[in-house]
Amino acid sequence: MADTFNLGIGKFLVNLIDFLIDNYSGFFDIISSVIQSIVDFFLFLLFAINPYLMIILISILVWKTVNLKSVPFTAFFLVIILMMGLWDTSMITLSLIITSTLIALIFGIPFGIVKARSKLVSTLLDPLLDVMQTLPSLAYLIPAVLFFGIGEVPGVIATVIFAMPPAIKLTSLGIEQVSEELIEVGKAFGGTSWQILTKIELPTAVPSIMMGVNQAIMLSFSMVVIAGFIGSGGLGEVIISGIQRYSLAPALEAGIAVTFLAVIFDRITRNLVGSKI
């Protein structure tokens, strides 16, 4: 009996999206072109580097940011990915993750600063961020597909929305935890609001902001896999395609490659956090 009631919210939202697309298609085309250009740029850079040179460069990065003991494991993980024939697919995945994380941080950190400094903005953003963090990840794909169709761009947009909340929250938290004494000292020396932000609050909040960067990257890894449902390419599409066709060996190998990449980048960014504390 209760199932007979239907407010038609879904139909209303679809009609609203159709209206926006019909009247602002140029705006969405610009967004799509910009994002596709960024993805293509990182893809060009990643494919321009020889795989063996890339393994050496990433191993050096791990040595400098983590420790020397982690270098053999890093090199082993990357060589395994290369020997599974998933190097090019992994570079596509990395280009999507780099683009998504970059956009999420470009918008997330400024929003976090404004949230920390404005109670009104904080009041408005908190419930929205809570909803964004509790929504099922698959739900992010629906508006992305409705606005941008299928392919890399809607995959990046869904990943950006999914990865942005921790960047906003942890930036805001870091600034809010700056002691009042430090801010009062800044004011006593005649510091402007901008100077207090850039010379006291942001440097003090760097560990929390870097934790937000780490979380944004990790969430991007998980969402990029799910975005394989809408043809975003990369390892996610291999996993989804393998499951749909019951071709489990390629899906398992792609899953292993995602795990290896996620572990490497988690260690790098996690130790960047530690080095800033």
Side-chain angles (χ1 to χ4, degrees), residues 4 11 14 17 29 44 60 69 81 93 126 128-129 154 157 170 175 205 223 232 260:
T4 59
K11 187 176 181 181
V14 170
I17 292 172
D29 289 343
F44 171 77
I60 293 173
K69 294 179 182 175
I81 291 173
T93 298
D126 279 339
L128 178 62
L129 293 174
I157 289 174
L170 287 168
I175 293 176
M223 192 63 196
S232 64
F260 284 171

PDB file of all heavy atoms in Angstrom, residues 4 11 14 17 29 44 60 69 81 93 126 128-129 154 157 170 175 205 223 232 260:
ATOM      1  N   THR A   4       2.389   2.600  -3.204  1.00  0.00           N
ATOM      2  CA  THR A   4       1.584   3.296  -4.212  1.00  0.00           C
ATOM      3  C   THR A   4       1.853   4.790  -4.212  1.00  0.00           C
ATOM      4  O   THR A   4       1.558   5.467  -5.187  1.00  0.00           O
ATOM      5  CB  THR A   4       0.080   3.060  -3.946  1.00  0.00           C
ATOM      6  OG1 THR A   4      -0.233   3.543  -2.634  1.00  0.00           O
ATOM      7  CG2 THR A   4      -0.246   1.577  -4.052  1.00  0.00           C
ATOM      8  N   LYS A  11      11.825  11.788 -11.274  1.00  0.00           N
ATOM      9  CA  LYS A  11      11.409  12.350 -12.566  1.00  0.00           C
ATOM     10  C   LYS A  11      11.611  13.860 -12.585  1.00  0.00           C
ATOM     11  O   LYS A  11      12.037  14.440 -13.598  1.00  0.00           O
ATOM     12  CB  LYS A  11       9.935  12.006 -12.811  1.00  0.00           C
ATOM     13  CG  LYS A  11       9.458  12.393 -14.199  1.00  0.00           C
ATOM     14  CD  LYS A  11       8.028  11.938 -14.431  1.00  0.00           C
ATOM     15  CE  LYS A  11       7.573  12.320 -15.845  1.00  0.00           C
ATOM     16  NZ  LYS A  11       6.171  11.895 -16.090  1.00  0.00           N
ATOM     17  N   VAL A  14      15.329  14.563 -13.081  1.00  0.00           N
ATOM     18  CA  VAL A  14      15.741  14.301 -14.464  1.00  0.00           C
ATOM     19  C   VAL A  14      15.273  15.429 -15.386  1.00  0.00           C
ATOM     20  O   VAL A  14      16.021  15.901 -16.253  1.00  0.00           O
ATOM     21  CB  VAL A  14      15.187  12.939 -14.935  1.00  0.00           C
ATOM     22  CG1 VAL A  14      15.399  12.767 -16.444  1.00  0.00           C
ATOM     23  CG2 VAL A  14      15.856  11.798 -14.191  1.00  0.00           C
ATOM     24  N   ILE A  17      17.485  18.418 -14.822  1.00  0.00           N
ATOM     25  CA  ILE A  17      18.784  18.249 -15.488  1.00  0.00           C
ATOM     26  C   ILE A  17      18.650  18.432 -17.001  1.00  0.00           C
ATOM     27  O   ILE A  17      19.485  19.069 -17.644  1.00  0.00           O
ATOM     28  CB  ILE A  17      19.384  16.868 -15.132  1.00  0.00           C
ATOM     29  CG1 ILE A  17      19.774  16.836 -13.653  1.00  0.00           C
ATOM     30  CG2 ILE A  17      20.603  16.566 -16.000  1.00  0.00           C
ATOM     31  CD1 ILE A  17      20.191  15.472 -13.154  1.00  0.00           C
ATOM     32  N   ASP A  29      29.728  21.992 -22.060  1.00  0.00           N
ATOM     33  CA  ASP A  29      30.729  21.632 -23.079  1.00  0.00           C
ATOM     34  C   ASP A  29      32.104  22.189 -22.709  1.00  0.00           C
ATOM     35  O   ASP A  29      33.128  21.527 -22.918  1.00  0.00           O
ATOM     36  CB  ASP A  29      30.309  22.163 -24.450  1.00  0.00           C
ATOM     37  CG  ASP A  29      29.127  21.405 -25.023  1.00  0.00           C
ATOM     38  OD1 ASP A  29      28.855  20.295 -24.536  1.00  0.00           O
ATOM     39  OD2 ASP A  29      28.475  21.936 -25.947  1.00  0.00           O
ATOM     40  N   PHE A  44      49.594  12.298 -21.706  1.00  0.00           N
ATOM     41  CA  PHE A  44      50.753  12.521 -22.575  1.00  0.00           C
ATOM     42  C   PHE A  44      52.051  12.436 -21.763  1.00  0.00           C
ATOM     43  O   PHE A  44      53.028  11.801 -22.188  1.00  0.00           O
ATOM     44  CB  PHE A  44      50.630  13.885 -23.252  1.00  0.00           C
ATOM     45  CG  PHE A  44      51.865  14.308 -23.992  1.00  0.00           C
ATOM     46  CD1 PHE A  44      52.164  13.770 -25.244  1.00  0.00           C
ATOM     47  CD2 PHE A  44      52.751  15.233 -23.439  1.00  0.00           C
ATOM     48  CE1 PHE A  44      53.312  14.143 -25.929  1.00  0.00           C
ATOM     49  CE2 PHE A  44      53.902  15.614 -24.113  1.00  0.00           C
ATOM     50  CZ  PHE A  44      54.182  15.069 -25.367  1.00  0.00           C
ATOM     51  N   ILE A  60      62.755   6.198  -6.538  1.00  0.00           N
ATOM     52  CA  ILE A  60      63.522   7.281  -5.904  1.00  0.00           C
ATOM     53  C   ILE A  60      62.612   8.150  -5.040  1.00  0.00           C
ATOM     54  O   ILE A  60      62.980   8.548  -3.921  1.00  0.00           O
ATOM     55  CB  ILE A  60      64.222   8.139  -6.993  1.00  0.00           C
ATOM     56  CG1 ILE A  60      65.303   7.322  -7.698  1.00  0.00           C
ATOM     57  CG2 ILE A  60      64.817   9.408  -6.376  1.00  0.00           C
ATOM     58  CD1 ILE A  60      65.937   8.018  -8.889  1.00  0.00           C
ATOM     59  N   LYS A  69      64.073   0.975   2.723  1.00  0.00           N
ATOM     60  CA  LYS A  69      63.547  -0.395   2.806  1.00  0.00           C
ATOM     61  C   LYS A  69      62.326  -0.603   1.910  1.00  0.00           C
ATOM     62  O   LYS A  69      62.064  -1.728   1.472  1.00  0.00           O
ATOM     63  CB  LYS A  69      63.166  -0.713   4.256  1.00  0.00           C
ATOM     64  CG  LYS A  69      64.345  -0.767   5.210  1.00  0.00           C
ATOM     65  CD  LYS A  69      63.847  -1.054   6.621  1.00  0.00           C
ATOM     66  CE  LYS A  69      65.000  -1.060   7.613  1.00  0.00           C
ATOM     67  NZ  LYS A  69      64.530  -1.229   9.009  1.00  0.00           N
ATOM     68  N   ILE A  81      53.146  -5.076 -12.234  1.00  0.00           N
ATOM     69  CA  ILE A  81      52.125  -4.415 -13.067  1.00  0.00           C
ATOM     70  C   ILE A  81      52.560  -4.426 -14.531  1.00  0.00           C
ATOM     71  O   ILE A  81      51.768  -4.714 -15.435  1.00  0.00           O
ATOM     72  CB  ILE A  81      51.899  -2.956 -12.589  1.00  0.00           C
ATOM     73  CG1 ILE A  81      51.230  -2.956 -11.217  1.00  0.00           C
ATOM     74  CG2 ILE A  81      51.035  -2.187 -13.593  1.00  0.00           C
ATOM     75  CD1 ILE A  81      51.119  -1.577 -10.601  1.00  0.00           C
ATOM     76  N   THR A  93      44.682   5.086 -15.637  1.00  0.00           N
ATOM     77  CA  THR A  93      44.090   5.232 -14.297  1.00  0.00           C
ATOM     78  C   THR A  93      44.784   6.346 -13.517  1.00  0.00           C
ATOM     79  O   THR A  93      44.126   7.172 -12.865  1.00  0.00           O
ATOM     80  CB  THR A  93      44.210   3.901 -13.516  1.00  0.00           C
ATOM     81  OG1 THR A  93      43.471   2.903 -14.213  1.00  0.00           O
ATOM     82  CG2 THR A  93      43.671   4.032 -12.115  1.00  0.00           C
ATOM     83  N   ASP A 126      28.283  21.946   6.280  1.00  0.00           N
ATOM     84  CA  ASP A 126      28.354  20.715   7.093  1.00  0.00           C
ATOM     85  C   ASP A 126      27.336  19.660   6.688  1.00  0.00           C
ATOM     86  O   ASP A 126      27.709  18.496   6.449  1.00  0.00           O
ATOM     87  CB  ASP A 126      28.224  21.055   8.581  1.00  0.00           C
ATOM     88  CG  ASP A 126      29.541  21.530   9.160  1.00  0.00           C
ATOM     89  OD1 ASP A 126      30.591  21.231   8.554  1.00  0.00           O
ATOM     90  OD2 ASP A 126      29.533  22.211  10.196  1.00  0.00           O
ATOM     91  N   LEU A 128      25.737  19.359   3.889  1.00  0.00           N
ATOM     92  CA  LEU A 128      26.007  18.948   2.509  1.00  0.00           C
ATOM     93  C   LEU A 128      27.174  17.962   2.450  1.00  0.00           C
ATOM     94  O   LEU A 128      27.115  16.932   1.753  1.00  0.00           O
ATOM     95  CB  LEU A 128      26.323  20.178   1.651  1.00  0.00           C
ATOM     96  CG  LEU A 128      26.673  19.914   0.183  1.00  0.00           C
ATOM     97  CD1 LEU A 128      25.498  19.256  -0.531  1.00  0.00           C
ATOM     98  CD2 LEU A 128      27.065  21.213  -0.522  1.00  0.00           C
ATOM     99  N   LEU A 129      28.226  18.266   3.216  1.00  0.00           N
ATOM    100  CA  LEU A 129      29.386  17.361   3.237  1.00  0.00           C
ATOM    101  C   LEU A 129      29.028  16.021   3.870  1.00  0.00           C
ATOM    102  O   LEU A 129      29.507  14.969   3.424  1.00  0.00           O
ATOM    103  CB  LEU A 129      30.540  18.020   4.003  1.00  0.00           C
ATOM    104  CG  LEU A 129      31.157  19.257   3.351  1.00  0.00           C
ATOM    105  CD1 LEU A 129      32.178  19.898   4.274  1.00  0.00           C
ATOM    106  CD2 LEU A 129      31.803  18.905   2.017  1.00  0.00           C
ATOM    107  N   PRO A 154      32.838  12.259 -17.233  1.00  0.00           N
ATOM    108  CA  PRO A 154      31.927  11.998 -16.101  1.00  0.00           C
ATOM    109  C   PRO A 154      32.595  11.178 -14.995  1.00  0.00           C
ATOM    110  O   PRO A 154      32.278  11.344 -13.818  1.00  0.00           O
ATOM    111  CB  PRO A 154      30.770  11.219 -16.750  1.00  0.00           C
ATOM    112  CG  PRO A 154      31.293  10.706 -18.035  1.00  0.00           C
ATOM    113  CD  PRO A 154      32.300  11.710 -18.497  1.00  0.00           C
ATOM    114  N   ILE A 157      34.508  13.727 -12.954  1.00  0.00           N
ATOM    115  CA  ILE A 157      33.607  14.577 -12.167  1.00  0.00           C
ATOM    116  C   ILE A 157      33.043  13.818 -10.968  1.00  0.00           C
ATOM    117  O   ILE A 157      33.012  14.347  -9.844  1.00  0.00           O
ATOM    118  CB  ILE A 157      32.472  15.110 -13.071  1.00  0.00           C
ATOM    119  CG1 ILE A 157      33.058  16.153 -14.034  1.00  0.00           C
ATOM    120  CG2 ILE A 157      31.347  15.725 -12.234  1.00  0.00           C
ATOM    121  CD1 ILE A 157      32.099  16.664 -15.062  1.00  0.00           C
ATOM    122  N   LEU A 170      39.238  18.548   6.386  1.00  0.00           N
ATOM    123  CA  LEU A 170      40.533  18.525   7.066  1.00  0.00           C
ATOM    124  C   LEU A 170      41.271  19.853   6.942  1.00  0.00           C
ATOM    125  O   LEU A 170      42.030  20.226   7.836  1.00  0.00           O
ATOM    126  CB  LEU A 170      41.377  17.378   6.515  1.00  0.00           C
ATOM    127  CG  LEU A 170      40.888  15.995   6.977  1.00  0.00           C
ATOM    128  CD1 LEU A 170      41.553  14.881   6.191  1.00  0.00           C
ATOM    129  CD2 LEU A 170      41.152  15.808   8.461  1.00  0.00           C
ATOM    130  N   ILE A 175      42.827  24.601  10.259  1.00  0.00           N
ATOM    131  CA  ILE A 175      42.823  26.047  10.548  1.00  0.00           C
ATOM    132  C   ILE A 175      42.129  26.331  11.882  1.00  0.00           C
ATOM    133  O   ILE A 175      42.581  27.178  12.666  1.00  0.00           O
ATOM    134  CB  ILE A 175      42.143  26.807   9.392  1.00  0.00           C
ATOM    135  CG1 ILE A 175      43.008  26.695   8.137  1.00  0.00           C
ATOM    136  CG2 ILE A 175      41.912  28.271   9.766  1.00  0.00           C
ATOM    137  CD1 ILE A 175      42.408  27.314   6.906  1.00  0.00           C
ATOM    138  N   ALA A 205      48.477  24.611   9.713  1.00  0.00           N
ATOM    139  CA  ALA A 205      47.478  23.593   9.342  1.00  0.00           C
ATOM    140  C   ALA A 205      47.992  22.617   8.292  1.00  0.00           C
ATOM    141  O   ALA A 205      47.238  21.725   7.878  1.00  0.00           O
ATOM    142  CB  ALA A 205      46.217  24.289   8.822  1.00  0.00           C
ATOM    143  N   MET A 223      37.051   5.411  -6.286  1.00  0.00           N
ATOM    144  CA  MET A 223      35.980   5.883  -7.176  1.00  0.00           C
ATOM    145  C   MET A 223      36.313   5.668  -8.641  1.00  0.00           C
ATOM    146  O   MET A 223      35.411   5.405  -9.456  1.00  0.00           O
ATOM    147  CB  MET A 223      35.726   7.370  -6.916  1.00  0.00           C
ATOM    148  CG  MET A 223      34.458   7.872  -7.563  1.00  0.00           C
ATOM    149  SD  MET A 223      32.992   7.045  -6.873  1.00  0.00           S
ATOM    150  CE  MET A 223      31.760   7.448  -8.104  1.00  0.00           C
ATOM    151  N   SER A 232      34.907   4.933 -18.094  1.00  0.00           N
ATOM    152  CA  SER A 232      35.966   5.919 -17.857  1.00  0.00           C
ATOM    153  C   SER A 232      37.335   5.400 -18.278  1.00  0.00           C
ATOM    154  O   SER A 232      38.304   6.154 -18.316  1.00  0.00           O
ATOM    155  CB  SER A 232      35.991   6.316 -16.383  1.00  0.00           C
ATOM    156  OG  SER A 232      36.319   5.200 -15.589  1.00  0.00           O
ATOM    157  N   PHE A 260      48.300  -2.272  -5.688  1.00  0.00           N
ATOM    158  CA  PHE A 260      49.727  -1.918  -5.635  1.00  0.00           C
ATOM    159  C   PHE A 260      49.919  -0.401  -5.767  1.00  0.00           C
ATOM    160  O   PHE A 260      50.678   0.212  -5.005  1.00  0.00           O
ATOM    161  CB  PHE A 260      50.491  -2.631  -6.747  1.00  0.00           C
ATOM    162  CG  PHE A 260      50.742  -4.093  -6.482  1.00  0.00           C
ATOM    163  CD1 PHE A 260      51.261  -4.918  -7.477  1.00  0.00           C
ATOM    164  CD2 PHE A 260      50.479  -4.652  -5.252  1.00  0.00           C
ATOM    165  CE1 PHE A 260      51.516  -6.270  -7.237  1.00  0.00           C
ATOM    166  CE2 PHE A 260      50.720  -6.008  -4.993  1.00  0.00           C
ATOM    167  CZ  PHE A 260      51.232  -6.811  -5.998  1.00  0.00           C
TER     168      PHE A 260
END
